[in-house]
Amino acid sequence: MLYKEFATYRMDENHLKKWYGKLTWFMYIIFSAWSLIFVMYVGYDQYHIHYIAIFTQLGAAVVASTLLVSDKKLFVPILVTLMLPLIVYFAFVDAWYGYVLSIFSLIFLFVLLYASFNTNRLLQKNYSQAQHDILTGLYNRRYFMEYMESLHERLAVNHKTACLFLIDLDHFKTINDSLGHEIGDKLLIEVSERLKEYAEDTHIVARLGGDEFILISKELNEDVSKMDPAYSFSEGLLYVIRKPYSIDGHHLHISASIGVHQIDPSFLYSKNFIREADIAMYEAKVQGRDGVIIFNQDLAQRVERHLLIEQKLHYALKENIIEVFYQPQFDKDEQVIGCESLIRWNDDQLGEVEPEEFIPIIENTGLILEVGSYVLKETFESINRWNAKGKKLESISVNVSMRQLLCETFVNEVERLIKIYFPKKESEQKIVFEITEHVFSEDMKKVVSMMNRLKNIGISFSIDDFGTGYSSLNYLKVLPIDEVKIDRTFVARLDDSKDDKKMISTIISIAKNLDLNIVAEGVETFQQLIFLTKIECDVFQGFYFEEALSKKAFEEKYIFT
């Protein structure tokens, strides 16, 4: 009955305790009955039954010490129960050898106890090492995975839920790199101690590896939709982790990003059950870190699309499905004087994917270098073709990411392309690299050095989306830029906002004082054009004039006419 009742993966903690209690009583009853039988038959001389009883009792003691060695709460009292009747029996034998056998039986009891204790200690040590993280003492990834497998079975049988919390420390790598791994390890130990103190009574706490920790609650009867307690618990975790740390004279502050997912069997996918919490945790990092995100289906669908886009990007690049479009730029007389290279992607399955959606993915996956090289080559090839046909635009703008600009091979790549497509220096034609205001958050010395090297081979620079990010007048003086591009969000509100009119007027005034060219993007109405012309904006770009066109359409309308 006990054997049939036992089911590791389906028994919760309370059920397991009850089953263990039954097993303990079963063992006590069996071996106590064995001792009782010994007492009953040890006095029978017929057929030498007393010898059989003695040797059977010794055998039972050896069997008990071997069978129950994993639990000293069982083997200690049971060994004493089995050996004590033998010791007493030999002591009452009316002969000297009886005392000798009694002493030997006592020694044998101590030998069995000593061997059992040592074996038990070794088993517990090996079991603990297999279950626990060496550095922090928390449960390790292996144990947690096994526990989750058993939890899955229990949730299915008991129709309950559980709540999963995935914790990733923010900027932990910075501490490791700046202060060393020894300080980093001590910080991890301190964090683990705080997590245990805060949650060990109600949750299983484990370290997955590195600076990732994971907690799973005990089985819950609550409705899956009720996530307020989980959110409150997560806020408590953040508070505990945020408290200052004092380690070897260093006063450290650290935060964490937490992904939360309340799970039941319908959400648990074999070995991928951490995936949902990981998605939520990653979203917390994307939103600025030091926060909590609870997994939901909208988030899952967004991530699924993100992954699909990432997968299809590789194919799109390989098959040249991503196209370079060109949006014309106009002067105040509404004459085409240049264009900006833009990328567009139309997928058979996804449809038209907006640049705002796939460009961040390109940047995060490292494909930006490959895409940037493709756009640069396509643009230079088009300029060369147009120049050969006698249509020389004054300027051509290409967006360049920070990863491209700071790549050691980028300058050589640009110089090589210039030699191929512009063997003769083109007069009065600018190639403008547009960089965003995020450049101000980079290593300025390296940025300035790379920009100067590119300027030496004929490249001009423009600050894109000016006024929306990290702008600083000091940086405008330091960076070797030639142009600022007013962000479309300011232009779009010109008809409604006096503040935006003042902002644009101020930007243009500053740019003029620094002898910079000014481009306004996102011009959509005649009124916007009139205002920008009055305050001496130099170049205009937007749907009022023309949307971005494919290479063929651009050439038909503006080059070969």
Side-chain angles (χ1 to χ4, degrees):
M1 288 172 64
L2 282 171
Y3 175 78
K4 288 180 178 179
E5 186 180 337
F6 183 75
T8 306
Y9 288 163
R10 297 186 179 184
M11 300 171 74
D12 60 22
E13 190 173 345
N14 291 331
H15 191 183
L16 192 60
K17 283 181 179 179
K18 289 179 182 179
W19 182 87
Y20 174 75
K22 293 178 183 178
L23 176 68
T24 301
W25 281 109
F26 173 77
M27 291 297 178
Y28 284 153
I29 290 169
I30 286 292
F31 287 104
S32 296
W34 202 290
S35 295
L36 181 61
I37 292 170
F38 167 78
V39 172
M40 289 173 59
Y41 287 96
V42 74
Y44 280 64
D45 294 336
Q46 190 177 8
Y47 306 116
H48 304 293
I49 287 179
H50 61 293
Y51 291 126
I52 296 173
I54 291 170
F55 285 112
T56 303
Q57 192 73 353
L58 288 171
V62 173
V63 168
S65 68
T66 305
L67 183 65
L68 307 176
V69 70
S70 61
D71 191 345
K72 58 186 176 184
K73 290 181 180 179
L74 279 177
F75 73 70
V76 172
I78 286 176
L79 282 178
V80 171
T81 301
L82 290 170
M83 291 300 298
L84 189 59
L86 269 175
I87 295 168
V88 173
Y89 170 76
F90 287 135
F92 280 95
V93 172
D94 191 17
W96 63 269
Y97 57 84
Y99 298 111
V100 173
L101 289 172
S102 181
I103 292 171
F104 273 108
S105 297
L106 187 62
I107 292 172
F108 186 62
L109 171 62
F110 280 108
V111 168
L112 289 177
L113 288 172
Y114 178 77
S116 296
F117 270 113
N118 282 345
T119 305
N120 176 269
R121 192 179 300 113
L122 182 62
L123 285 173
Q124 294 300 325
K125 182 180 179 181
N126 290 340
Y127 188 57
S128 178
Q129 287 177 348
Q131 283 188 327
H132 293 83
D133 176 60
I134 296 175
L135 177 66
T136 63
L138 297 176
Y139 288 117
N140 58 21
R141 185 185 189 93
R142 176 183 173 183
Y143 172 82
F144 190 81
M145 293 299 185
E146 291 176 353
Y147 178 83
M148 289 299 291
E149 291 291 341
S150 65
L151 177 65
H152 184 199
E153 295 284 343
R154 294 200 300 274
L155 294 181
V157 171
N158 301 326
H159 306 290
K160 293 184 177 182
T161 67
C163 210
L164 193 69
F165 304 83
L166 182 61
I167 304 170
D168 188 271
L169 302 182
D170 297 330
H171 305 298
F172 176 75
K173 185 176 183 297
T174 304
I175 293 175
N176 257 351
D177 293 343
S178 59
L179 300 179
H181 288 273
E182 185 177 355
I183 298 296
D185 287 348
K186 289 181 179 180
L187 177 61
L188 290 175
I189 293 170
E190 179 65 27
V191 169
S192 67
E193 289 297 324
R194 294 184 183 187
L195 293 178
K196 279 197 293 186
E197 184 178 352
Y198 179 75
E200 196 173 36
D201 292 341
T202 55
H203 293 70
I204 297 294
V205 185
R207 180 189 177 206
L208 289 184
D211 60 336
E212 273 195 341
F213 299 87
I214 194 162
L215 289 76
I216 184 71
S217 70
K218 306 293 175 63
E219 290 95 320
L220 304 169
N221 292 315
E222 299 174 11
D223 192 318
V224 175
S225 62
K226 296 178 181 178
M227 292 299 291
D228 289 343
Y231 191 84
S232 300
F233 181 82
S234 301
E235 288 290 338
L237 285 173
L238 286 180
Y239 176 76
V240 166
I241 293 170
R242 283 194 206 110
K243 288 181 180 179
Y245 301 82
S246 181
I247 298 174
D248 292 353
H250 299 283
H251 297 284
L252 305 176
H253 296 266
I254 197 166
S255 60
S257 300
I258 302 179
V260 184
H261 182 40
Q262 194 158 357
I263 55 176
D264 62 26
S266 65
F267 285 114
L268 223 52
Y269 301 107
S270 63
K271 295 183 180 179
N272 296 323
F273 45 73
I274 300 176
R275 177 174 170 270
E276 289 84 2
D278 190 52
I279 289 170
M281 185 271 290
Y282 178 77
E283 184 69 13
K285 287 194 174 292
V286 169
Q287 293 189 13
R289 305 173 191 266
D290 191 22
V292 179
I293 294 293
I294 295 175
F295 175 83
N296 55 52
Q297 289 303 317
D298 290 340
L299 178 59
Q301 290 170 7
R302 192 160 72 246
V303 172
E304 288 288 349
R305 180 173 171 83
H306 178 109
L307 293 173
L308 183 60
I309 289 173
E310 185 178 327
Q311 292 167 4
K312 283 183 166 288
L313 272 170
H314 293 274
Y315 175 79
L317 283 172
K318 185 179 179 181
E319 300 298 323
N320 292 327
I321 296 173
I322 291 180
E323 296 182 77
V324 178
F325 276 46
Y326 300 91
Q327 186 170 30
Q329 297 174 332
F330 298 81
D331 63 13
K332 61 182 180 180
D333 298 320
E334 299 190 28
Q335 298 297 311
V336 176
I337 58 172
C339 67
E340 179 185 0
S341 297
L342 300 166
I343 52 175
R344 296 291 184 265
W345 180 22
N346 197 312
D347 182 79
D348 292 339
Q349 180 182 351
L350 298 170
E352 187 173 337
V353 187
E354 293 296 326
E356 292 80 7
E357 184 176 18
F358 72 83
I359 288 178
I361 297 174
I362 289 174
E363 291 177 341
N364 291 334
T365 56
L367 289 171
I368 191 65
L369 296 178
E370 188 176 346
V371 173
S373 296
Y374 165 72
V375 172
L376 206 58
K377 181 178 178 297
E378 285 289 313
T379 303
F380 280 18
E381 202 172 65
S382 296
I383 299 169
N384 178 266
R385 172 180 163 85
W386 301 339
N387 289 343
K389 295 292 184 179
K391 182 65 175 182
K392 294 184 179 180
L393 299 175
E394 291 181 20
S395 67
I396 297 89
S397 299
V398 184
N399 290 281
V400 173
S401 75
M402 281 301 98
R403 292 192 67 171
Q404 281 179 280
L405 185 63
L406 297 178
C407 180
E408 292 297 332
T409 61
F410 184 59
V411 176
N412 294 333
E413 179 186 358
V414 174
E415 190 171 19
R416 179 180 59 80
L417 289 173
I418 287 176
K419 287 179 179 178
I420 293 172
Y421 294 105
F422 309 109
K424 296 179 181 179
K425 189 173 180 61
E426 300 291 339
S427 60
E428 299 180 359
Q429 187 173 42
K430 291 191 302 182
I431 299 173
V432 181
F433 282 176
E434 293 187 10
I435 55 178
T436 66
E437 289 185 325
H438 288 87
V439 68
F440 301 138
S441 65
E442 301 290 341
D443 181 347
M444 292 304 293
K445 287 185 178 180
K446 186 172 182 179
V447 168
V448 171
S449 173
M450 296 295 283
M451 290 176 71
N452 282 328
R453 288 173 62 189
L454 288 164
K455 286 184 75 71
N456 289 336
I457 58 175
I459 301 297
S460 300
F461 283 93
S462 173
I463 296 292
D464 195 12
D465 301 332
F466 188 79
T468 60
Y470 306 87
S471 303
S472 165
L473 292 179
N474 184 52
Y475 286 140
L476 289 181
K477 290 165 58 180
V478 170
L479 289 175
I481 61 173
D482 308 276
E483 178 182 279
V484 293
K485 200 168 188 181
I486 301 170
D487 185 65
R488 67 178 65 248
T489 56
F490 294 126
V491 176
R493 295 194 296 261
L494 276 178
D495 298 335
D496 307 316
S497 173
K498 292 181 179 180
D499 290 337
D500 284 312
K501 287 182 178 179
K502 291 178 182 178
M503 174 68 76
I504 291 178
S505 298
T506 302
I507 291 172
I508 290 179
S509 177
I510 292 169
K512 290 292 183 183
N513 287 331
L514 295 173
D515 295 323
L516 300 175
N517 193 47
I518 304 115
V519 179
E521 64 176 341
V523 179
E524 297 185 359
T525 67
F526 180 68
Q527 289 75 18
Q528 293 170 353
L529 175 62
I530 293 298
F531 175 80
L532 292 166
T533 303
K534 283 182 179 178
I535 59 175
E536 299 182 357
C537 184
D538 300 306
V539 182
F540 310 91
Q541 176 182 342
F543 291 169
Y544 173 76
F545 301 98
E546 189 68 83
E547 62 182 353
L549 301 172
S550 67
K551 179 180 176 180
K552 181 180 179 181
F554 184 84
E555 289 179 345
E556 288 176 352
K557 190 168 184 177
Y558 295 103
I559 303 298
F560 302 144
T561 55

